[in-house]
Amino acid sequence: MKIDREAFKQQFISTAQGAGGFNIHNPMPWVQNFANALADPLAETLDKVSANAKVSAVDLSTPLEKLGNEVSSYVSLAVKAFGTATAGIERRTNLIW
C-alpha cells in the first residue's frame, strides 16, 4: 500500500486548520510548513511499515471439520428424538381413536 503524498498533505492541512475553523483554500503559513515538513517522512515510514507487514494465512480446516462433525451429530440426534416423539404421539392418537 502506497500513500498518496499530496492527498496526505492536504489531509494534514485540513486537520490542522479544522480545529480553528480556518478556510482550507487560504492555509496559514505554519500549517503549510507543518504539512510539507512532516507529511513526506511520515508517509514514507507508513509505506515501509505496510510493506514489511506480513499477514499469515490461517488454517481453518481443522476447526471447521470439527464444527461440521458436531453439527452433523446434533442434527442426527435431533432427527432421532423428533422421530421418537412423533412415534409416541402416533401411538397415543391411535389409542384415542
Side-chain angles (χ1 to χ4, degrees):
M1 176 181 91
K2 288 283 191 185
I3 294 177
D4 179 358
R5 303 281 165 86
E6 287 306 311
F8 199 54
K9 285 180 186 178
Q10 290 304 315
Q11 185 62 41
F12 261 85
I13 293 169
S14 175
T15 302
Q17 290 178 340
F22 299 107
N23 182 353
I24 193 166
H25 300 292
N26 187 18
M28 296 178 64
W30 73 267
V31 173
Q32 191 70 47
N33 292 337
F34 177 75
N36 288 333
L38 192 58
D40 284 335
L42 186 56
E44 184 177 327
T45 302
L46 291 172
D47 285 342
K48 287 179 183 177
V49 168
S50 68
N52 292 329
K54 302 289 185 221
V55 178
S56 61
V58 179
D59 182 16
L60 295 175
S61 61
T62 302
L64 288 176
E65 183 179 347
K66 185 176 179 182
L67 177 64
N69 291 337
E70 293 296 324
V71 168
S72 178
S73 295
Y74 176 78
V75 169
S76 178
L77 290 173
V79 167
K80 184 178 178 182
F82 182 73
T84 303
T86 303
I89 291 172
E90 185 178 351
R91 278 192 304 266
R92 285 191 295 276
T93 302
N94 287 338
L95 288 173
I96 293 173
W97 298 106

